[in-house]
Amino acid sequence: MRLLNFTENGIYCIPGNFYIDPWKPVDYALITHAHADHARWGMKRYLCHHFTVPILHSRIGKDIQVQGIAYNESLTINGVKVSLHPAGHIIGSAQIRMEYKGKIAVVSGDYKLQNDGLSIPFEPVKCHEFVTESTFGLPIYKWSSVEQLNQLMRDWVIANQKNGKTSVFVGYSLGKAQRILKAVSGVAPLFTHYSIAKLNEAYKSVGVNLPDYQIVDFRESVQHVNQAVVIVPPALVESTVLKKIPNMVYAVCSGWMQVRGARRWRSADAGFAVSDHADWDGLLTAVKATEAEKVYVTHGQTAAFAKYLNENGMHAVELHTAFGNEEEDEQIPESV
């Protein structure tokens, strides 16, 4: 009996007659988290974690039909028992567990095992079939601890202040930017681009405390941010906006910075390997903890990770999906 099918619309639960993170419009979409490559416009109904609801309203539209449920709360959809479990990726991120006639499948969405202090930590879920991401599915990816990264970022800001410089951090608006805010809180005045502030409000609406900050309006003079910290989304790196910031030095915050920063972001002054995805060890730990008989490997290093799992006694299948890199997909108008 097959519980899941992988269709041109997305991952489909056959007996439940619903999709998980579909990339084409469908009647019923269960959403793992609110990044744009997993939560798309055009679905008739959405189901997600409570904390993801305000973010979907902010990013997709106020008029969408969306239901929020809590972690470990279960409901039955066409005979399939469905529940959400923490993925540790960003706020509200969830693994989706489906149980039907004794068979259990889990779709993880994106996840990480590190506790960033903002999202509920990853929870292993035992299952027969597990759908895993593999964004950083190579042994070269091994993250420093959150505490070590935070200290490196704080040290960079302090050094910049001593040299009369303004510290600009480049990080994705949802998840990464909030981690940066928390990491450098108290070192210097904090400013964010409006797109980040908009999502900060969604965090606050569900009770997550973030450090105090101000919104920087690039349509006006920004001389007042001199020697402060400014956080902007990646889409602004190639724009003229950053040139308005006085005495600017900028750092890119991305998991890619661990190995290909110099090539991809060769003009950056610094790079910090901050990621909301699992590194190599994290992926292996998560997959093994499921005790799954079959593992489906999606987006990222699919071929290499699936090959490794098969060579080490696990039955893995490489999948081609429309999930991508949220950091590269984010589009922000240059004019604001």
Side-chain angles (χ1 to χ4, degrees):
M1 177 189 66
R2 293 190 65 183
L3 197 52
L4 297 177
N5 193 18
F6 302 94
T7 75
E8 64 178 12
N9 292 329
I11 301 173
Y12 179 61
C13 178
I14 300 168
N17 191 27
F18 56 79
Y19 289 82
I20 299 164
D21 294 351
W23 43 84
K24 291 184 179 179
V26 299
D27 287 343
Y28 198 10
L30 277 57
I31 301 299
T32 61
H33 65 285
H35 279 146
D37 57 330
H38 289 259
R40 301 170 189 257
W41 179 87
M43 315 303 161
K44 287 186 180 177
R45 288 189 297 155
Y46 298 84
L47 175 75
C48 59
H49 186 266
H50 283 309
F51 290 176
T52 301
V53 172
I55 304 174
L56 291 190
H57 280 146
S58 174
R59 308 197 95 176
I60 297 177
K62 289 288 186 187
D63 57 346
I64 62 171
Q65 186 177 344
V66 54
Q67 177 187 0
I69 63 173
Y71 291 127
N72 293 296
E73 178 182 354
S74 63
L75 70 166
T76 301
I77 305 174
N78 297 322
V80 178
K81 184 181 178 183
V82 174
S83 55
L84 306 184
H85 303 266
H89 177 55
I90 60 169
I91 185 172
S93 60
Q95 304 172 82
I96 297 179
R97 180 187 185 275
M98 293 148 283
E99 181 176 354
Y100 183 72
K101 294 184 176 178
K103 186 165 185 177
I104 301 168
V106 172
V107 176
S108 64
D110 292 333
Y111 62 89
K112 74 172 179 295
L113 274 62
Q114 284 188 323
N115 183 359
D116 61 14
L118 290 170
S119 52
I120 305 298
F122 177 88
E123 172 188 296
V125 183
K126 288 184 170 50
C127 56
H128 300 100
E129 295 184 340
F130 184 56
V131 181
T132 180
E133 63 140 322
S134 59
T135 304
F136 293 103
L138 290 174
I140 54 176
Y141 295 108
K142 186 174 179 61
W143 311 141
S144 301
S145 71
V146 172
E147 293 74 20
Q148 288 171 327
L149 273 172
N150 290 353
Q151 189 60 55
L152 286 173
M153 289 190 281
R154 294 169 67 88
D155 290 345
W156 185 69
V157 172
I158 292 169
N160 291 337
Q161 287 176 317
K162 289 178 179 175
N163 292 319
K165 299 292 186 180
T166 306
S167 302
V168 176
F169 287 95
V170 178
Y172 187 66
S173 300
L174 176 57
K176 201 74 64 63
Q178 291 74 31
R179 286 184 62 178
I180 299 167
L181 264 175
K182 189 174 179 182
V184 299
S185 173
V187 179
L190 302 176
F191 294 84
T192 75
H193 187 261
Y194 90 97
S195 63
I196 294 169
K198 187 178 173 185
L199 290 166
N200 289 346
E201 291 305 310
Y203 272 70
K204 292 178 181 177
S205 73
V206 297
V208 175
N209 293 320
L210 294 173
D212 292 334
Y213 65 92
Q214 299 175 59
I215 300 172
V216 59
D217 188 346
F218 286 102
R219 295 168 298 186
E220 302 176 352
S221 171
V222 296
Q223 292 300 311
H224 58 292
V225 306
N226 191 30
Q227 298 186 46
V229 168
V230 183
I231 306 173
V232 300
L236 294 192
V237 170
E238 303 296 334
S239 76
T240 58
V241 164
L242 294 192
K243 295 178 181 176
K244 298 180 68 174
I245 299 175
N247 302 311
M248 180 198 72
V249 288
Y250 83 91
V252 175
C253 295
S254 167
W256 302 115
M257 295 307 293
Q258 185 166 85
V259 293
R260 67 175 190 178
R263 175 163 53 89
R264 182 170 178 77
W265 302 100
R266 57 185 176 274
S267 61
D269 299 289
F272 299 99
V274 183
S275 179
D276 289 326
H277 295 265
D279 63 5
W280 173 257
D281 290 341
L283 289 170
L284 290 177
T285 299
V287 168
K288 289 176 181 174
T290 66
E291 301 180 7
E293 299 165 357
K294 193 169 188 177
V295 179
Y296 295 99
V297 182
T298 74
H299 58 300
Q301 307 292 336
T302 54
F305 193 53
K307 182 173 184 291
Y308 180 88
L309 294 179
N310 281 314
E311 289 176 348
N312 286 273
M314 287 170 271
H315 182 195
V317 177
E318 180 187 0
L319 290 181
H320 297 285
T321 62
F323 305 131
N325 184 336
E326 64 267 8
E327 296 177 16
E328 295 175 350
D329 292 342
E330 188 176 42
Q331 300 295 320
I332 304 292
E334 181 178 338
S335 58
V336 291

